[in-house]
Amino acid sequence: MPIPEDVTGDEIDKDVRQELQSLPKGLAEDVAKNLVMVARLIDEDPEGAYGYSKVALRLASRVAAVREAAGFAAYANQKYSEALAEFRAARRMTGNVDLWPVMADCERGLGRPEKALDMAGAPDVHKLDKAGQVEMRLVAAGARRDMGQLDAAIVTLQSPELASSSVQPWTARLRYAYADALLAADRAGEAREWFAKAVEADRDGSTDASDRLAELDGVEFVDALDEDEDGNEDESGDEAEGLSEETSAEVEDDVEDEADAEDEADAEDDVDDVDDEDEADAEADTKKD
């Protein structure tokens, strides 16, 4: 796959670059460039990212960072079985537990929420950092919802992190998930409150909490472009109607002017006829005399 000229491979994380040092220099550069493309495209063009990940995987399948990148690219394309296999391979290579929550979410994607819940209760969860533990809680709550256990999902999300007033990278998503679960349980009033709190914490627009809040408040958004187009169409219609009325008036005036002109011509003809008759009578009288 083509690599843009502005991609050098130096953009990758230093830890990944260190992993690639086990490869020959030229090969390491090629792998690095493909990994950069995966990171660049994974949000906006998941299919493109997946394509670059397959190239990197073909070049360096024994590098943990490559297996992890391939896993996330497959995950972004909802290829959960493939993603899970790549994550497991990366975990075996590094012994790192960071991928545990996303592995559990792959189990959800494969229709195995019970397996995701088992992973949420595994000892590995205690080895996760705070962000990882919050992510695991989100996955567990999602698994509960998959199983139709709304109340259990709500309880799962109730945690010190949810109650905290400080804003962390995970805060908006945690509050959003809690609000969404409340709404699914027909607790709209509480849901509105937590959607509002999610909006306050969502500084980078990672959720659509503002839209959900507006929807609950009955606010409807009108596309400004459509409104302008409608306004222009109406204005054009009014102008056309006005021109039509003006044209009709002008035609009527022209008809009236022509009629007046014809009347004047007829009147002049009548006068001429009368004058001719008077002259004829006068000549006859003269001859008689």
PDB file of all heavy atoms in Angstrom, residues 120-158:
ATOM      1  N   ALA A 120     -13.883  -9.955  33.792  1.00  0.00           N
ATOM      2  CA  ALA A 120     -13.971  -8.787  34.670  1.00  0.00           C
ATOM      3  C   ALA A 120     -13.707  -9.153  36.126  1.00  0.00           C
ATOM      4  O   ALA A 120     -13.299  -8.294  36.924  1.00  0.00           O
ATOM      5  CB  ALA A 120     -15.359  -8.151  34.548  1.00  0.00           C
ATOM      6  N   GLY A 121     -13.909 -10.409  36.466  1.00  0.00           N
ATOM      7  CA  GLY A 121     -13.660 -10.854  37.841  1.00  0.00           C
ATOM      8  C   GLY A 121     -12.336 -11.576  38.013  1.00  0.00           C
ATOM      9  O   GLY A 121     -12.045 -12.099  39.096  1.00  0.00           O
ATOM     10  N   ALA A 122     -11.508 -11.594  36.967  1.00  0.00           N
ATOM     11  CA  ALA A 122     -10.229 -12.306  37.027  1.00  0.00           C
ATOM     12  C   ALA A 122      -9.183 -11.512  37.795  1.00  0.00           C
ATOM     13  O   ALA A 122      -9.262 -10.277  37.894  1.00  0.00           O
ATOM     14  CB  ALA A 122      -9.730 -12.596  35.612  1.00  0.00           C
ATOM     15  N   PRO A 123      -8.182 -12.187  38.371  1.00  0.00           N
ATOM     16  CA  PRO A 123      -7.120 -11.505  39.120  1.00  0.00           C
ATOM     17  C   PRO A 123      -6.347 -10.485  38.283  1.00  0.00           C
ATOM     18  O   PRO A 123      -5.796  -9.519  38.829  1.00  0.00           O
ATOM     19  CB  PRO A 123      -6.204 -12.666  39.547  1.00  0.00           C
ATOM     20  CG  PRO A 123      -7.086 -13.866  39.550  1.00  0.00           C
ATOM     21  CD  PRO A 123      -8.038 -13.656  38.427  1.00  0.00           C
ATOM     22  N   ASP A 124      -6.302 -10.684  36.965  1.00  0.00           N
ATOM     23  CA  ASP A 124      -5.565  -9.749  36.101  1.00  0.00           C
ATOM     24  C   ASP A 124      -6.084  -8.320  36.222  1.00  0.00           C
ATOM     25  O   ASP A 124      -5.332  -7.367  36.003  1.00  0.00           O
ATOM     26  CB  ASP A 124      -5.675 -10.202  34.641  1.00  0.00           C
ATOM     27  CG  ASP A 124      -5.012 -11.528  34.407  1.00  0.00           C
ATOM     28  OD1 ASP A 124      -5.661 -12.566  34.674  1.00  0.00           O
ATOM     29  OD2 ASP A 124      -3.855 -11.544  33.963  1.00  0.00           O
ATOM     30  N   VAL A 125      -7.375  -8.171  36.542  1.00  0.00           N
ATOM     31  CA  VAL A 125      -7.975  -6.834  36.635  1.00  0.00           C
ATOM     32  C   VAL A 125      -7.280  -5.996  37.702  1.00  0.00           C
ATOM     33  O   VAL A 125      -7.119  -4.779  37.546  1.00  0.00           O
ATOM     34  CB  VAL A 125      -9.488  -6.941  36.924  1.00  0.00           C
ATOM     35  CG1 VAL A 125     -10.098  -5.558  37.142  1.00  0.00           C
ATOM     36  CG2 VAL A 125     -10.186  -7.667  35.776  1.00  0.00           C
ATOM     37  N   HIS A 126      -6.847  -6.637  38.783  1.00  0.00           N
ATOM     38  CA  HIS A 126      -6.194  -5.910  39.876  1.00  0.00           C
ATOM     39  C   HIS A 126      -4.810  -5.394  39.473  1.00  0.00           C
ATOM     40  O   HIS A 126      -4.243  -4.526  40.153  1.00  0.00           O
ATOM     41  CB  HIS A 126      -6.078  -6.811  41.112  1.00  0.00           C
ATOM     42  CG  HIS A 126      -7.399  -7.308  41.627  1.00  0.00           C
ATOM     43  ND1 HIS A 126      -8.347  -6.462  42.168  1.00  0.00           N
ATOM     44  CD2 HIS A 126      -7.932  -8.562  41.650  1.00  0.00           C
ATOM     45  CE1 HIS A 126      -9.413  -7.170  42.523  1.00  0.00           C
ATOM     46  NE2 HIS A 126      -9.193  -8.446  42.223  1.00  0.00           N
ATOM     47  N   LYS A 127      -4.274  -5.912  38.367  1.00  0.00           N
ATOM     48  CA  LYS A 127      -2.967  -5.454  37.891  1.00  0.00           C
ATOM     49  C   LYS A 127      -3.090  -4.243  36.964  1.00  0.00           C
ATOM     50  O   LYS A 127      -2.076  -3.649  36.599  1.00  0.00           O
ATOM     51  CB  LYS A 127      -2.252  -6.599  37.149  1.00  0.00           C
ATOM     52  CG  LYS A 127      -2.029  -7.838  37.995  1.00  0.00           C
ATOM     53  CD  LYS A 127      -1.418  -8.961  37.159  1.00  0.00           C
ATOM     54  CE  LYS A 127      -1.271 -10.235  37.956  1.00  0.00           C
ATOM     55  NZ  LYS A 127      -0.712 -11.352  37.140  1.00  0.00           N
ATOM     56  N   LEU A 128      -4.320  -3.916  36.598  1.00  0.00           N
ATOM     57  CA  LEU A 128      -4.540  -2.778  35.707  1.00  0.00           C
ATOM     58  C   LEU A 128      -4.374  -1.461  36.448  1.00  0.00           C
ATOM     59  O   LEU A 128      -4.627  -1.383  37.669  1.00  0.00           O
ATOM     60  CB  LEU A 128      -5.958  -2.842  35.116  1.00  0.00           C
ATOM     61  CG  LEU A 128      -6.273  -4.018  34.192  1.00  0.00           C
ATOM     62  CD1 LEU A 128      -7.778  -4.076  33.914  1.00  0.00           C
ATOM     63  CD2 LEU A 128      -5.495  -3.902  32.890  1.00  0.00           C
ATOM     64  N   ASP A 129      -3.988  -0.417  35.713  1.00  0.00           N
ATOM     65  CA  ASP A 129      -3.958   0.910  36.322  1.00  0.00           C
ATOM     66  C   ASP A 129      -5.386   1.434  36.423  1.00  0.00           C
ATOM     67  O   ASP A 129      -6.348   0.743  36.038  1.00  0.00           O
ATOM     68  CB  ASP A 129      -3.068   1.863  35.513  1.00  0.00           C
ATOM     69  CG  ASP A 129      -3.534   2.034  34.076  1.00  0.00           C
ATOM     70  OD1 ASP A 129      -4.662   1.614  33.740  1.00  0.00           O
ATOM     71  OD2 ASP A 129      -2.765   2.581  33.262  1.00  0.00           O
ATOM     72  N   LYS A 130      -5.544   2.635  36.943  1.00  0.00           N
ATOM     73  CA  LYS A 130      -6.892   3.170  37.180  1.00  0.00           C
ATOM     74  C   LYS A 130      -7.690   3.260  35.886  1.00  0.00           C
ATOM     75  O   LYS A 130      -8.876   2.892  35.849  1.00  0.00           O
ATOM     76  CB  LYS A 130      -6.789   4.545  37.838  1.00  0.00           C
ATOM     77  CG  LYS A 130      -8.138   5.196  38.142  1.00  0.00           C
ATOM     78  CD  LYS A 130      -8.949   4.386  39.147  1.00  0.00           C
ATOM     79  CE  LYS A 130      -8.284   4.364  40.508  1.00  0.00           C
ATOM     80  NZ  LYS A 130      -9.135   3.643  41.504  1.00  0.00           N
ATOM     81  N   ALA A 131      -7.073   3.742  34.824  1.00  0.00           N
ATOM     82  CA  ALA A 131      -7.774   3.861  33.540  1.00  0.00           C
ATOM     83  C   ALA A 131      -8.226   2.485  33.055  1.00  0.00           C
ATOM     84  O   ALA A 131      -9.346   2.325  32.540  1.00  0.00           O
ATOM     85  CB  ALA A 131      -6.868   4.521  32.504  1.00  0.00           C
ATOM     86  N   GLY A 132      -7.376   1.476  33.210  1.00  0.00           N
ATOM     87  CA  GLY A 132      -7.718   0.133  32.790  1.00  0.00           C
ATOM     88  C   GLY A 132      -8.860  -0.456  33.601  1.00  0.00           C
ATOM     89  O   GLY A 132      -9.731  -1.156  33.069  1.00  0.00           O
ATOM     90  N   GLN A 133      -8.882  -0.166  34.895  1.00  0.00           N
ATOM     91  CA  GLN A 133      -9.945  -0.673  35.754  1.00  0.00           C
ATOM     92  C   GLN A 133     -11.295  -0.028  35.401  1.00  0.00           C
ATOM     93  O   GLN A 133     -12.330  -0.698  35.408  1.00  0.00           O
ATOM     94  CB  GLN A 133      -9.598  -0.427  37.220  1.00  0.00           C
ATOM     95  CG  GLN A 133      -8.433  -1.272  37.708  1.00  0.00           C
ATOM     96  CD  GLN A 133      -8.081  -1.007  39.166  1.00  0.00           C
ATOM     97  OE1 GLN A 133      -8.772  -0.252  39.860  1.00  0.00           O
ATOM     98  NE2 GLN A 133      -7.006  -1.606  39.645  1.00  0.00           N
ATOM     99  N   VAL A 134     -11.265   1.270  35.090  1.00  0.00           N
ATOM    100  CA  VAL A 134     -12.497   1.946  34.673  1.00  0.00           C
ATOM    101  C   VAL A 134     -12.980   1.357  33.347  1.00  0.00           C
ATOM    102  O   VAL A 134     -14.178   1.112  33.156  1.00  0.00           O
ATOM    103  CB  VAL A 134     -12.265   3.465  34.534  1.00  0.00           C
ATOM    104  CG1 VAL A 134     -13.477   4.136  33.882  1.00  0.00           C
ATOM    105  CG2 VAL A 134     -12.008   4.084  35.897  1.00  0.00           C
ATOM    106  N   GLU A 135     -12.050   1.097  32.434  1.00  0.00           N
ATOM    107  CA  GLU A 135     -12.415   0.498  31.145  1.00  0.00           C
ATOM    108  C   GLU A 135     -13.030  -0.881  31.347  1.00  0.00           C
ATOM    109  O   GLU A 135     -14.010  -1.247  30.683  1.00  0.00           O
ATOM    110  CB  GLU A 135     -11.167   0.401  30.259  1.00  0.00           C
ATOM    111  CG  GLU A 135     -11.469   0.110  28.805  1.00  0.00           C
ATOM    112  CD  GLU A 135     -12.221   1.222  28.116  1.00  0.00           C
ATOM    113  OE1 GLU A 135     -11.987   2.397  28.460  1.00  0.00           O
ATOM    114  OE2 GLU A 135     -13.063   0.907  27.241  1.00  0.00           O
ATOM    115  N   MET A 136     -12.463  -1.639  32.278  1.00  0.00           N
ATOM    116  CA  MET A 136     -12.999  -2.968  32.572  1.00  0.00           C
ATOM    117  C   MET A 136     -14.398  -2.870  33.150  1.00  0.00           C
ATOM    118  O   MET A 136     -15.278  -3.686  32.837  1.00  0.00           O
ATOM    119  CB  MET A 136     -12.068  -3.681  33.553  1.00  0.00           C
ATOM    120  CG  MET A 136     -12.349  -5.152  33.713  1.00  0.00           C
ATOM    121  SD  MET A 136     -11.871  -6.143  32.271  1.00  0.00           S
ATOM    122  CE  MET A 136     -13.475  -6.633  31.652  1.00  0.00           C
ATOM    123  N   ARG A 137     -14.640  -1.855  33.954  1.00  0.00           N
ATOM    124  CA  ARG A 137     -15.967  -1.641  34.533  1.00  0.00           C
ATOM    125  C   ARG A 137     -16.985  -1.313  33.432  1.00  0.00           C
ATOM    126  O   ARG A 137     -18.128  -1.777  33.460  1.00  0.00           O
ATOM    127  CB  ARG A 137     -15.900  -0.506  35.570  1.00  0.00           C
ATOM    128  CG  ARG A 137     -17.170  -0.316  36.402  1.00  0.00           C
ATOM    129  CD  ARG A 137     -16.977   0.780  37.430  1.00  0.00           C
ATOM    130  NE  ARG A 137     -15.995   0.408  38.433  1.00  0.00           N
ATOM    131  CZ  ARG A 137     -16.266  -0.317  39.514  1.00  0.00           C
ATOM    132  NH1 ARG A 137     -17.514  -0.755  39.704  1.00  0.00           N
ATOM    133  NH2 ARG A 137     -15.334  -0.616  40.385  1.00  0.00           N
ATOM    134  N   LEU A 138     -16.568  -0.509  32.465  1.00  0.00           N
ATOM    135  CA  LEU A 138     -17.444  -0.172  31.332  1.00  0.00           C
ATOM    136  C   LEU A 138     -17.801  -1.424  30.527  1.00  0.00           C
ATOM    137  O   LEU A 138     -18.952  -1.617  30.120  1.00  0.00           O
ATOM    138  CB  LEU A 138     -16.763   0.852  30.433  1.00  0.00           C
ATOM    139  CG  LEU A 138     -16.650   2.276  30.981  1.00  0.00           C
ATOM    140  CD1 LEU A 138     -15.700   3.107  30.124  1.00  0.00           C
ATOM    141  CD2 LEU A 138     -18.018   2.937  31.040  1.00  0.00           C
ATOM    142  N   VAL A 139     -16.804  -2.275  30.306  1.00  0.00           N
ATOM    143  CA  VAL A 139     -17.046  -3.506  29.558  1.00  0.00           C
ATOM    144  C   VAL A 139     -17.995  -4.419  30.332  1.00  0.00           C
ATOM    145  O   VAL A 139     -18.926  -5.013  29.756  1.00  0.00           O
ATOM    146  CB  VAL A 139     -15.721  -4.234  29.262  1.00  0.00           C
ATOM    147  CG1 VAL A 139     -15.987  -5.603  28.637  1.00  0.00           C
ATOM    148  CG2 VAL A 139     -14.844  -3.403  28.345  1.00  0.00           C
ATOM    149  N   ALA A 140     -17.787  -4.534  31.642  1.00  0.00           N
ATOM    150  CA  ALA A 140     -18.645  -5.395  32.463  1.00  0.00           C
ATOM    151  C   ALA A 140     -20.084  -4.892  32.463  1.00  0.00           C
ATOM    152  O   ALA A 140     -21.033  -5.680  32.366  1.00  0.00           O
ATOM    153  CB  ALA A 140     -18.102  -5.447  33.897  1.00  0.00           C
ATOM    154  N   ALA A 141     -20.251  -3.568  32.542  1.00  0.00           N
ATOM    155  CA  ALA A 141     -21.601  -2.998  32.511  1.00  0.00           C
ATOM    156  C   ALA A 141     -22.249  -3.268  31.162  1.00  0.00           C
ATOM    157  O   ALA A 141     -23.445  -3.592  31.082  1.00  0.00           O
ATOM    158  CB  ALA A 141     -21.545  -1.497  32.779  1.00  0.00           C
ATOM    159  N   GLY A 142     -21.473  -3.176  30.090  1.00  0.00           N
ATOM    160  CA  GLY A 142     -22.002  -3.482  28.770  1.00  0.00           C
ATOM    161  C   GLY A 142     -22.430  -4.939  28.654  1.00  0.00           C
ATOM    162  O   GLY A 142     -23.451  -5.251  28.032  1.00  0.00           O
ATOM    163  N   ALA A 143     -21.644  -5.828  29.260  1.00  0.00           N
ATOM    164  CA  ALA A 143     -21.995  -7.248  29.242  1.00  0.00           C
ATOM    165  C   ALA A 143     -23.296  -7.491  29.996  1.00  0.00           C
ATOM    166  O   ALA A 143     -24.140  -8.295  29.567  1.00  0.00           O
ATOM    167  CB  ALA A 143     -20.861  -8.068  29.851  1.00  0.00           C
ATOM    168  N   ARG A 144     -23.478  -6.801  31.112  1.00  0.00           N
ATOM    169  CA  ARG A 144     -24.736  -6.920  31.870  1.00  0.00           C
ATOM    170  C   ARG A 144     -25.922  -6.480  31.011  1.00  0.00           C
ATOM    171  O   ARG A 144     -26.973  -7.124  31.008  1.00  0.00           O
ATOM    172  CB  ARG A 144     -24.663  -6.071  33.134  1.00  0.00           C
ATOM    173  CG  ARG A 144     -23.687  -6.567  34.191  1.00  0.00           C
ATOM    174  CD  ARG A 144     -24.139  -7.861  34.819  1.00  0.00           C
ATOM    175  NE  ARG A 144     -23.286  -8.251  35.932  1.00  0.00           N
ATOM    176  CZ  ARG A 144     -23.389  -9.431  36.564  1.00  0.00           C
ATOM    177  NH1 ARG A 144     -24.307 -10.302  36.174  1.00  0.00           N
ATOM    178  NH2 ARG A 144     -22.572  -9.720  37.558  1.00  0.00           N
ATOM    179  N   ARG A 145     -25.753  -5.407  30.280  1.00  0.00           N
ATOM    180  CA  ARG A 145     -26.835  -4.922  29.408  1.00  0.00           C
ATOM    181  C   ARG A 145     -27.100  -5.909  28.275  1.00  0.00           C
ATOM    182  O   ARG A 145     -28.245  -6.111  27.866  1.00  0.00           O
ATOM    183  CB  ARG A 145     -26.489  -3.546  28.860  1.00  0.00           C
ATOM    184  CG  ARG A 145     -26.487  -2.446  29.907  1.00  0.00           C
ATOM    185  CD  ARG A 145     -26.370  -1.072  29.294  1.00  0.00           C
ATOM    186  NE  ARG A 145     -27.503  -0.776  28.416  1.00  0.00           N
ATOM    187  CZ  ARG A 145     -27.717   0.412  27.859  1.00  0.00           C
ATOM    188  NH1 ARG A 145     -26.867   1.406  28.077  1.00  0.00           N
ATOM    189  NH2 ARG A 145     -28.753   0.609  27.075  1.00  0.00           N
ATOM    190  N   ASP A 146     -26.021  -6.515  27.763  1.00  0.00           N
ATOM    191  CA  ASP A 146     -26.195  -7.521  26.714  1.00  0.00           C
ATOM    192  C   ASP A 146     -27.083  -8.659  27.201  1.00  0.00           C
ATOM    193  O   ASP A 146     -27.844  -9.254  26.423  1.00  0.00           O
ATOM    194  CB  ASP A 146     -24.847  -8.097  26.281  1.00  0.00           C
ATOM    195  CG  ASP A 146     -23.968  -7.075  25.573  1.00  0.00           C
ATOM    196  OD1 ASP A 146     -24.498  -6.046  25.103  1.00  0.00           O
ATOM    197  OD2 ASP A 146     -22.743  -7.312  25.501  1.00  0.00           O
ATOM    198  N   MET A 147     -26.996  -8.940  28.490  1.00  0.00           N
ATOM    199  CA  MET A 147     -27.756 -10.038  29.082  1.00  0.00           C
ATOM    200  C   MET A 147     -29.118  -9.586  29.602  1.00  0.00           C
ATOM    201  O   MET A 147     -29.847 -10.366  30.208  1.00  0.00           O
ATOM    202  CB  MET A 147     -26.937 -10.663  30.207  1.00  0.00           C
ATOM    203  CG  MET A 147     -25.608 -11.252  29.737  1.00  0.00           C
ATOM    204  SD  MET A 147     -24.467 -11.673  31.095  1.00  0.00           S
ATOM    205  CE  MET A 147     -25.373 -12.998  31.895  1.00  0.00           C
ATOM    206  N   GLY A 148     -29.445  -8.302  29.357  1.00  0.00           N
ATOM    207  CA  GLY A 148     -30.735  -7.781  29.796  1.00  0.00           C
ATOM    208  C   GLY A 148     -30.799  -7.424  31.267  1.00  0.00           C
ATOM    209  O   GLY A 148     -31.888  -7.242  31.820  1.00  0.00           O
ATOM    210  N   GLN A 149     -29.648  -7.294  31.908  1.00  0.00           N
ATOM    211  CA  GLN A 149     -29.583  -7.003  33.344  1.00  0.00           C
ATOM    212  C   GLN A 149     -29.300  -5.510  33.557  1.00  0.00           C
ATOM    213  O   GLN A 149     -28.207  -5.110  33.951  1.00  0.00           O
ATOM    214  CB  GLN A 149     -28.511  -7.871  34.009  1.00  0.00           C
ATOM    215  CG  GLN A 149     -28.738  -9.362  33.838  1.00  0.00           C
ATOM    216  CD  GLN A 149     -27.588 -10.201  34.366  1.00  0.00           C
ATOM    217  OE1 GLN A 149     -26.599  -9.677  34.894  1.00  0.00           O
ATOM    218  NE2 GLN A 149     -27.682 -11.515  34.221  1.00  0.00           N
ATOM    219  N   LEU A 150     -30.315  -4.687  33.300  1.00  0.00           N
ATOM    220  CA  LEU A 150     -30.135  -3.236  33.359  1.00  0.00           C
ATOM    221  C   LEU A 150     -29.771  -2.746  34.753  1.00  0.00           C
ATOM    222  O   LEU A 150     -28.869  -1.916  34.924  1.00  0.00           O
ATOM    223  CB  LEU A 150     -31.395  -2.531  32.866  1.00  0.00           C
ATOM    224  CG  LEU A 150     -31.618  -2.516  31.352  1.00  0.00           C
ATOM    225  CD1 LEU A 150     -32.950  -1.869  31.022  1.00  0.00           C
ATOM    226  CD2 LEU A 150     -30.485  -1.775  30.657  1.00  0.00           C
ATOM    227  N   ASP A 151     -30.474  -3.229  35.749  1.00  0.00           N
ATOM    228  CA  ASP A 151     -30.195  -2.778  37.116  1.00  0.00           C
ATOM    229  C   ASP A 151     -28.778  -3.151  37.534  1.00  0.00           C
ATOM    230  O   ASP A 151     -28.079  -2.360  38.187  1.00  0.00           O
ATOM    231  CB  ASP A 151     -31.209  -3.390  38.091  1.00  0.00           C
ATOM    232  CG  ASP A 151     -32.612  -2.814  37.903  1.00  0.00           C
ATOM    233  OD1 ASP A 151     -32.721  -1.708  37.330  1.00  0.00           O
ATOM    234  OD2 ASP A 151     -33.592  -3.472  38.302  1.00  0.00           O
ATOM    235  N   ALA A 152     -28.355  -4.343  37.152  1.00  0.00           N
ATOM    236  CA  ALA A 152     -26.994  -4.774  37.478  1.00  0.00           C
ATOM    237  C   ALA A 152     -25.961  -3.910  36.758  1.00  0.00           C
ATOM    238  O   ALA A 152     -24.900  -3.607  37.305  1.00  0.00           O
ATOM    239  CB  ALA A 152     -26.813  -6.242  37.121  1.00  0.00           C
ATOM    240  N   ALA A 153     -26.282  -3.514  35.529  1.00  0.00           N
ATOM    241  CA  ALA A 153     -25.371  -2.645  34.769  1.00  0.00           C
ATOM    242  C   ALA A 153     -25.217  -1.301  35.472  1.00  0.00           C
ATOM    243  O   ALA A 153     -24.108  -0.756  35.566  1.00  0.00           O
ATOM    244  CB  ALA A 153     -25.897  -2.451  33.353  1.00  0.00           C
ATOM    245  N   ILE A 154     -26.332  -0.761  35.966  1.00  0.00           N
ATOM    246  CA  ILE A 154     -26.294   0.523  36.668  1.00  0.00           C
ATOM    247  C   ILE A 154     -25.447   0.418  37.926  1.00  0.00           C
ATOM    248  O   ILE A 154     -24.600   1.281  38.213  1.00  0.00           O
ATOM    249  CB  ILE A 154     -27.730   0.982  37.006  1.00  0.00           C
ATOM    250  CG1 ILE A 154     -28.473   1.341  35.708  1.00  0.00           C
ATOM    251  CG2 ILE A 154     -27.710   2.176  37.962  1.00  0.00           C
ATOM    252  CD1 ILE A 154     -29.950   1.615  35.904  1.00  0.00           C
ATOM    253  N   VAL A 155     -25.645  -0.656  38.682  1.00  0.00           N
ATOM    254  CA  VAL A 155     -24.877  -0.861  39.911  1.00  0.00           C
ATOM    255  C   VAL A 155     -23.392  -1.028  39.603  1.00  0.00           C
ATOM    256  O   VAL A 155     -22.525  -0.517  40.319  1.00  0.00           O
ATOM    257  CB  VAL A 155     -25.411  -2.088  40.679  1.00  0.00           C
ATOM    258  CG1 VAL A 155     -24.499  -2.420  41.862  1.00  0.00           C
ATOM    259  CG2 VAL A 155     -26.826  -1.831  41.175  1.00  0.00           C
ATOM    260  N   THR A 156     -23.077  -1.715  38.513  1.00  0.00           N
ATOM    261  CA  THR A 156     -21.679  -1.939  38.123  1.00  0.00           C
ATOM    262  C   THR A 156     -20.949  -0.619  37.881  1.00  0.00           C
ATOM    263  O   THR A 156     -19.767  -0.476  38.204  1.00  0.00           O
ATOM    264  CB  THR A 156     -21.615  -2.804  36.854  1.00  0.00           C
ATOM    265  OG1 THR A 156     -22.210  -4.076  37.117  1.00  0.00           O
ATOM    266  CG2 THR A 156     -20.180  -3.015  36.403  1.00  0.00           C
ATOM    267  N   LEU A 157     -21.667   0.346  37.315  1.00  0.00           N
ATOM    268  CA  LEU A 157     -21.049   1.636  36.991  1.00  0.00           C
ATOM    269  C   LEU A 157     -20.952   2.572  38.195  1.00  0.00           C
ATOM    270  O   LEU A 157     -20.212   3.559  38.141  1.00  0.00           O
ATOM    271  CB  LEU A 157     -21.846   2.320  35.873  1.00  0.00           C
ATOM    272  CG  LEU A 157     -21.787   1.621  34.514  1.00  0.00           C
ATOM    273  CD1 LEU A 157     -22.813   2.224  33.553  1.00  0.00           C
ATOM    274  CD2 LEU A 157     -20.392   1.711  33.915  1.00  0.00           C
ATOM    275  N   GLN A 158     -21.681   2.290  39.244  1.00  0.00           N
ATOM    276  CA  GLN A 158     -21.631   3.123  40.447  1.00  0.00           C
ATOM    277  C   GLN A 158     -20.318   2.848  41.183  1.00  0.00           C
ATOM    278  O   GLN A 158     -20.113   1.783  41.743  1.00  0.00           O
ATOM    279  CB  GLN A 158     -22.833   2.827  41.340  1.00  0.00           C
ATOM    280  CG  GLN A 158     -24.154   3.281  40.744  1.00  0.00           C
ATOM    281  CD  GLN A 158     -25.360   2.816  41.526  1.00  0.00           C
ATOM    282  OE1 GLN A 158     -25.260   1.930  42.375  1.00  0.00           O
ATOM    283  NE2 GLN A 158     -26.514   3.397  41.250  1.00  0.00           N
TER     284      GLN A 158
END
